[in-house]
Amino acid sequence: MSKRLYFMGGLSLKVMLQPAGDASWTLDDLMANAAIAAATHRDTAFIGRASADITGSLATDILVKAGIDTAGLDRYSDVPLPLTLASGDSETICTIPSAEAFNPVWPRFEAGDVMVWGGYFSLDPTVHTMMLDLLRYASARKVTMVYVPYFNRLQVPRVTRVMPLIFDNLELADTVIATTDIIETIFGNADMGAVYNNNISFYAPRFFAIDNKKGTLEEHIKGEAVTRPAAMDTAEVIASIVISL
């Protein structure tokens, strides 16, 4: 059984604007929401980036209230947190990349811990080198490594440009968890078994494909595939898998 769960990503907020002028907000990142789901069952920490202004504090406070250790968060001061403004069916993404170097506090990993990372954060060239150094250190400490590829199409309009970065992440993974639509976008193939055999198994022996349309979870390991119901939010599915590792 693992000792501690670590999630790594870049925090962002989604602000819901109401016609009457009211507004509410929530975390707008899969890694952060998976960490919150996992924290109800296990000791959980979050590593990554957040702005040092009010937007970053709002996001960080949500993690803290969920009982998550945020000591590994790097707080940058030059720009606000990425925001998605939503009203009805319309959304606008407001993002200004930080020019500050990614400089998180490195945890004292122990064998049996689990590291989960992914999102656009894992593809961001401004954090990529430091992130890989931290991940390699975790892997050397015999931490179980879980890569969760996902991104917004506005962030990655052409997947071919980030494929080298995706492969950098895959090289460090023991397990890959992703939705079927993202996998199809990355590899151009809707057959999850074929993707596992041809693209993932060389790097990671275990692959979980979440099909939100069918409400299923397909697990591939060593040439065997098992499909079972998974009628939960994607973040909750990821958390349940990570907790079981």
Side-chain angles (χ1 to χ4, degrees):
M1 180 177 290
S2 65
K3 297 175 181 178
R4 196 176 210 204
L5 306 180
Y6 292 92
F7 290 79
M8 183 162 63
L11 294 181
S12 58
L13 283 175
K14 184 173 186 177
V15 180
M16 283 75 71
L17 305 175
Q18 307 300 327
D22 297 329
S24 59
W25 57 86
T26 185
L27 284 172
D28 192 32
D29 183 76
L30 186 58
M31 282 295 92
N33 287 314
I36 290 172
T40 60
H41 303 280
R42 300 290 287 276
D43 179 22
T44 302
F46 194 88
I47 307 167
R49 305 199 85 188
S51 60
D53 65 358
I54 187 172
T55 59
S57 295
L58 286 172
T60 302
D61 287 348
I62 295 173
L63 295 178
V64 172
K65 289 177 181 178
I68 296 172
D69 181 357
T70 60
L73 268 180
D74 175 37
R75 304 293 295 269
Y76 53 85
S77 59
D78 57 341
V79 295
L81 206 69
L83 298 174
T84 297
L85 304 179
S87 180
D89 296 329
S90 300
E91 290 188 352
T92 298
I93 296 177
C94 304
T95 301
I96 305 173
S98 172
E100 295 182 13
F102 177 44
N103 187 29
V105 176
W106 287 32
R108 297 182 61 181
F109 295 115
E110 296 186 26
D113 289 345
V114 179
M115 165 62 80
V116 191
W117 81 99
Y120 181 72
F121 178 87
S122 67
L123 308 176
D124 186 345
T126 64
V127 306
H128 195 67
T129 299
M130 175 60 77
M131 182 200 71
L132 288 182
D133 287 344
L134 192 155
L135 292 174
R136 291 184 182 117
Y137 170 69
S139 181
R141 297 285 293 173
K142 301 189 183 303
V143 171
T144 299
M145 308 293 286
V146 182
Y147 177 43
V148 184
Y150 64 96
F151 45 79
N152 186 294
R153 298 293 180 88
L154 296 176
Q155 296 171 315
V156 184
R158 292 182 61 185
V159 176
T160 52
R161 293 181 177 177
V162 298
M163 284 306 295
L165 305 178
I166 290 174
F167 286 123
D168 282 346
N169 287 287
L170 285 172
E171 286 178 355
L172 289 165
D174 301 309
T175 296
V176 174
I177 308 171
T179 59
T180 54
D181 59 329
I182 283 293
I183 291 297
E184 185 175 358
T185 297
I186 293 173
F187 296 109
N189 194 338
D191 184 335
M192 295 299 107
V195 170
Y196 171 73
N197 291 326
N198 299 329
N199 305 105
I200 293 178
S201 61
F202 177 78
Y203 301 99
R206 200 170 189 182
F207 169 49
F208 293 89
I210 304 168
D211 191 324
N212 288 316
K213 292 181 180 178
K214 296 180 180 178
T216 59
L217 176 66
E218 193 174 305
E219 178 183 2
H220 296 264
I221 183 170
K222 297 179 180 179
E224 300 293 330
V226 176
T227 301
R228 53 184 179 271
M232 293 188 293
D233 178 81
T234 301
E236 294 177 344
V237 175
I238 293 170
S240 68
I241 295 170
V242 171
I243 290 168
S244 70
L245 296 176

